[in-house]
Amino acid sequence: MCGIVGYVGRTSGRADAGHTALDVVLEGLRRLEYRGYDSAGIAVVADGEISSRKKSGKLSNLLAELDARPLPESLTGIGHTRWATHGGPTDQNAHPHLSDGGKLALIHNGIIENFAELKLELVAKGVEFASETDTEVAAALLGDIFRNKLGGDVSDGGLTRAMELACQRLEGAFTLLAVHADQPDVVVAARRNSPLVVGLGEGENFLGSDVSGFIDYTRRAVELGQDQIVTITADSVTITDFFGAPAEGKEYHVNWDPESAEKGGFPSFMEKEIHDQPDAVGQTLLGRSDIHGKLTLDELRIDPALLKSVDKIIVLACGTSAYAGQVAKYAIEHWCRIPTEVELSHEFRYRDPIVDANTLIVSISQSGETMDTLMAVRYAKEQGAKTVSICNTNGSTIPRESDAVLYTHAGPEIAVASTKAFLAQITAAYLLGLYLAQLRGNKFQGEIKDILADLAKIPAKIQRILDNEGQIKELGEAMADAKSVLFLGRHVGFPVAMEGALKLKELAYIHAEGFAAGELKHGPIALIEEGQPVFVVVPSPRGRDSLHSKVVSNIQEVRARGAKTIVIAEEGDEAVKAYAEHVFYIPETPTLLAPLLATVPLQIFALALATAKGYDVDQPRNLAKSVTVE
Ligand code: F6R
């Protein structure tokens, strides 16, 4: 996800500290590289002008550009690393974006949901756009307000006032940082549902997406609230809300070292990514429906008539992504009544599958580079199928070669074992399922709106699980000597059980298997002996009653044979307590959405157990993040 840095220093401060805006911003961007990005840019204010440079690709490309075309020395600057969402990773789409005749520069993290509507308005006023980004629209809006509404008057707030008025018009999630040539000693920033922290210095102040952006210069930080604007100069930090009313931030001391700052203070990327999951789901939902609950998947550029004629869906994926597909199958079939198969990509094209122009292939891949999935998608295209890619990596090969793409916005996943991408994939596949149901008239608009409302509550519910992770962590640590752990689930709980087992295999190198609970008696029950740990994912008792009671019976079957049962159940399900050694409760949610919650304790368990064994959870042995061989 995008990284953001801002800096204002003053001459005397600079004499002491020797910092220029360029030094500070580039160092901050280097520290924020871990967030993942595909272009970078910087703008400084000097000599009554804005000077900016931006380049697609790695920071080294920007550095080469700065060598070739140096920026003037300056004490006010902003910098950005971009993780493409609206528009590909090109020089043109990179930030900063300029407006007000090149006097204003803006950088942005997040998604502006009403950018299309604002763009039409600005185009009608004669504004021309050079990129495909929502950010350029925000820059143009800010410039228009500064120049045309406020008359470019900097005596009464100037850029800060313009930012307030702009934020009142913007919908979605955003962190914005702006500089203006007419206010050379100021950086103005705003945040809504997107991260921003202030760093307090002596004769200099900083802004960053997180503290890594300025950790080399100060450990004093200020946390901002939602819908706040902050104006920094070298000597002041002023916080207001979007209507200009004074507001306060919370100052704190950063005691992380620079390396752990990159992991958000967590000991591993994996732990950080597990904690990123409320955002991963939230960001994936963002901007994909209107206020009436109508899905607007603009990026799904397949003729609606073709989507209406689909008579079969085949989901192609590997590993964790295939489990996301298996979860989605239950929802898609239920909502759209389209037969849906989930196939491991590497098995698909070797079995002479039945695919034709009415088949919709949905590939799911975090990296977008998995060779097995790529080859399967190519094969399906050759057979005439339409292909949609669900992917987390903008511009990667699978989405490029597919007819359409629905990006997950989980942010870069650095730990090899997938966590946040899994939840984001399920979320995106659900959006696709609901979109098809909307298009084909399988569901009333009100029903879709209700499901979207339930989905919107998921991030807060994941957060509640994370806030109470102590109990499951303790169990993971206590079970460090386990030799084998089994996982059982029914319905959507079945793929969750398999994902729980996969996490344990990958991270802790323990034998682990996930079974459909109903399959037990057909063989796997022979594995149960005294003390065998068995996780059971229990469906909601409020759902289809028979499902809950069948799983409770399965718990009794394994307990009767000596298993130690560990149960994931819905809050309020008191009945399971009698049959479990340990119960971990997850918040109430409709059955089809429960995998987005039930998976989280299983991830935390695997992480805690592997950590207790002293293993490197970010880079498990023998595994690669992107499997680019067949
Ligand atoms: C497991 C894991 C893998 C990937 C699989 C597919 O934690 O990460 O099983 O899910 O290799 O990778 P993508 O999604 O990049 O196609």
Side-chain angles (χ1 to χ4, degrees):
M1 287 273 144
C2 308
I4 275 185
V5 189
Y7 175 77
V8 187
R10 67 173 143 84
T11 320
S12 57
R14 171 188 162 205
D16 293 346
H19 304 147
T20 65
L22 188 63
D23 295 338
V24 175
V25 170
L26 282 178
E27 182 57 23
L29 293 184
R30 202 189 58 70
R31 289 265 177 228
L32 291 170
E33 276 191 292
Y34 79 91
R35 297 169 72 91
Y37 65 103
D38 35 44
S39 58
I42 183 164
V44 296
V45 191
D47 312 323
E49 284 182 4
I50 298 283
S51 304
S52 79
R53 306 282 182 266
K54 52 188 195 175
K55 269 289 175 215
S56 60
K58 291 292 155 196
L59 267 184
S60 51
N61 295 359
L62 178 64
L63 292 176
E65 172 75 1
L66 288 166
D67 272 349
R69 296 197 307 131
L71 285 176
E73 208 170 86
S74 164
L75 291 165
T76 303
I78 55 178
H80 189 262
T81 48
R82 173 171 187 255
W83 171 263
T85 54
H86 288 71
T90 61
D91 288 357
Q92 199 63 263
N93 289 336
H95 304 198
H97 288 278
L98 305 184
S99 66
D100 195 17
K103 297 187 97 184
L104 186 150
L106 181 100
I107 56 178
H108 164 223
N109 174 17
I111 295 172
I112 296 185
E113 293 187 88
N114 57 338
F115 85 99
E117 168 195 327
L118 293 170
K119 192 169 184 174
L120 284 179
E121 211 178 281
L122 290 157
V123 166
K125 286 184 173 182
V127 178
E128 286 177 11
F129 290 90
S131 78
E132 304 152 87
T133 63
D134 49 347
T135 306
E136 195 182 6
V137 176
L141 176 71
L142 188 64
D144 181 55
I145 293 173
F146 182 90
R147 185 60 50 201
N148 300 325
K149 200 162 196 151
L150 304 179
D153 179 8
V154 296
S155 62
D156 186 24
L159 191 55
T160 307
R161 180 76 191 119
M163 186 66 95
E164 285 165 16
L165 295 172
C167 288
Q168 290 170 23
R169 302 271 342 258
L170 298 176
E171 288 166 20
F174 48 85
T175 301
L176 301 169
L177 259 67
V179 286
H180 198 287
D182 295 349
Q183 278 184 283
D185 308 324
V186 171
V187 177
V188 179
R191 86 164 276 236
R192 166 179 284 168
N193 292 325
S194 207
L196 178 66
V197 210
V198 183
L200 303 176
E202 297 285 326
E204 54 186 358
N205 286 307
F206 309 82
L207 294 163
S209 310
D210 61 53
V211 296
S212 331
F214 48 73
I215 197 156
D216 293 285
Y217 305 100
T218 182
R219 298 298 169 109
R220 285 177 62 209
V222 176
E223 193 185 297
L224 294 177
Q226 279 305 342
D227 287 9
Q228 290 191 342
I229 290 179
V230 60
T231 304
I232 64 164
T233 67
D235 301 301
S236 66
V237 171
T238 311
I239 304 172
T240 63
D241 67 14
F242 284 180
F243 296 88
E248 286 202 6
K250 203 167 90 203
E251 187 177 337
Y252 63 103
H253 181 79
V254 182
N255 46 19
W256 304 335
D257 56 38
E259 198 198 325
S260 59
E262 292 181 357
K263 296 173 187 155
F266 292 100
S268 62
F269 280 110
M270 180 159 196
E271 190 159 352
K272 174 187 175 288
E273 285 159 11
I274 289 174
H275 284 258
D276 282 346
Q277 292 184 116
D279 261 3
V281 173
Q283 294 286 338
T284 300
L285 290 172
L286 205 71
R288 279 164 166 168
S289 56
D290 65 19
I291 47 165
H292 309 294
K294 185 160 189 258
L295 280 150
T296 49
L297 302 184
D298 297 334
E299 67 262 66
L300 214 61
R301 293 189 194 110
I302 297 187
D303 180 359
L306 277 174
L307 289 177
K308 277 189 189 163
S309 67
V310 164
D311 61 12
K312 178 165 75 171
I313 294 176
I314 303 180
V315 179
L316 296 175
C318 301
T320 290
S321 300
Y323 295 145
Q326 291 203 18
V327 170
K329 169 188 159 82
Y330 290 85
I332 294 175
E333 288 195 331
H334 181 68
W335 292 333
C336 312
R337 310 310 297 155
I338 306 174
T340 304
E341 296 168 19
V342 184
E343 179 98 32
L344 291 169
S345 314
H346 37 88
E347 288 295 316
F348 173 71
R349 69 194 173 112
Y350 298 107
R351 70 164 174 87
D352 195 13
I354 302 164
V355 178
D356 60 30
N358 291 331
T359 309
L360 181 68
I361 296 289
V362 178
S363 67
I364 305 184
S365 174
Q366 184 286 130
S367 61
E369 299 295 347
T370 298
M371 187 58 80
D372 289 319
T373 304
L374 176 62
M375 298 314 272
V377 169
R378 279 185 187 160
Y379 178 84
K381 278 191 87 169
E382 282 161 21
Q383 310 303 307
K386 285 282 161 245
T387 54
V388 176
S389 153
I390 291 179
C391 183
N392 198 42
T393 310
N394 208 296
S396 55
T397 312
I398 298 173
R400 272 196 280 115
E401 294 203 10
S402 299
D403 296 308
V405 55
L406 194 57
Y407 281 111
T408 49
H409 296 307
E413 196 176 60
I414 293 167
V416 169
S418 189
T419 53
K420 63 176 178 174
F422 177 65
L423 296 199
Q425 287 165 344
I426 295 173
T427 308
Y430 278 12
L431 290 176
L432 178 63
L434 289 171
Y435 182 72
L436 290 172
Q438 174 179 290
L439 205 66
R440 298 161 68 97
N442 300 95
K443 285 242 164 269
F444 293 115
Q445 206 57 57
E447 293 174 290
I448 293 176
K449 190 175 179 186
D450 289 348
I451 299 168
L452 287 172
D454 285 326
L455 274 168
K457 291 180 196 150
I458 292 289
K461 292 181 181 178
I462 299 174
Q463 191 56 53
R464 268 175 58 203
I465 299 172
L466 295 170
D467 291 343
N468 295 302
E469 66 179 2
Q471 191 199 358
I472 187 93
K473 266 189 162 171
E474 269 172 37
L475 181 70
E477 286 156 13
M479 284 177 59
D481 294 332
K483 296 281 175 283
S484 154
V485 182
L486 304 181
F487 295 77
L488 303 180
R490 262 178 197 257
H491 192 253
V492 284
F494 172 35
V496 170
M498 292 194 285
E499 172 61 6
L502 180 60
K503 286 288 95 72
L504 203 55
K505 286 181 224 184
E506 288 180 292
L507 299 180
Y509 320 144
I510 287 179
H511 168 251
E513 292 297 331
F515 296 113
E519 188 67 9
L520 261 187
K521 54 192 174 300
H522 300 288
I525 201 160
L527 289 169
I528 308 292
E529 55 184 13
E530 198 58 38
Q532 169 68 51
V534 181
F535 270 86
V536 189
V537 181
V538 179
S540 165
R542 297 170 306 110
R544 221 180 298 158
D545 184 45
S546 56
L547 200 61
H548 180 266
S549 50
K550 291 254 161 47
V551 175
V552 171
S553 303
N554 298 138
I555 304 177
Q556 286 166 297
E557 285 158 17
V558 291
R559 256 172 85 91
R561 289 159 179 86
K564 182 174 145 189
T565 49
I566 305 151
V567 164
I568 311 289
E570 188 177 271
E571 278 167 2
D573 184 354
E574 294 298 318
V576 292
K577 274 190 177 156
Y579 311 112
E581 226 91 3
H582 302 273
V583 184
F584 296 98
Y585 283 114
I586 56 172
E588 274 190 14
T589 203
T591 302
L592 283 171
L593 309 193
L596 294 166
L597 304 181
T599 308
V600 180
L602 303 183
Q603 296 167 336
I604 298 168
F605 173 78
L607 172 82
L609 196 149
T611 307
K613 292 181 88 166
Y615 294 150
D616 179 348
V617 291
D618 285 340
Q619 308 235 330
R621 70 184 181 203
N622 306 337
L623 297 178
K625 186 70 191 158
S626 191
V627 185
T628 50
V629 288
E630 272 194 275

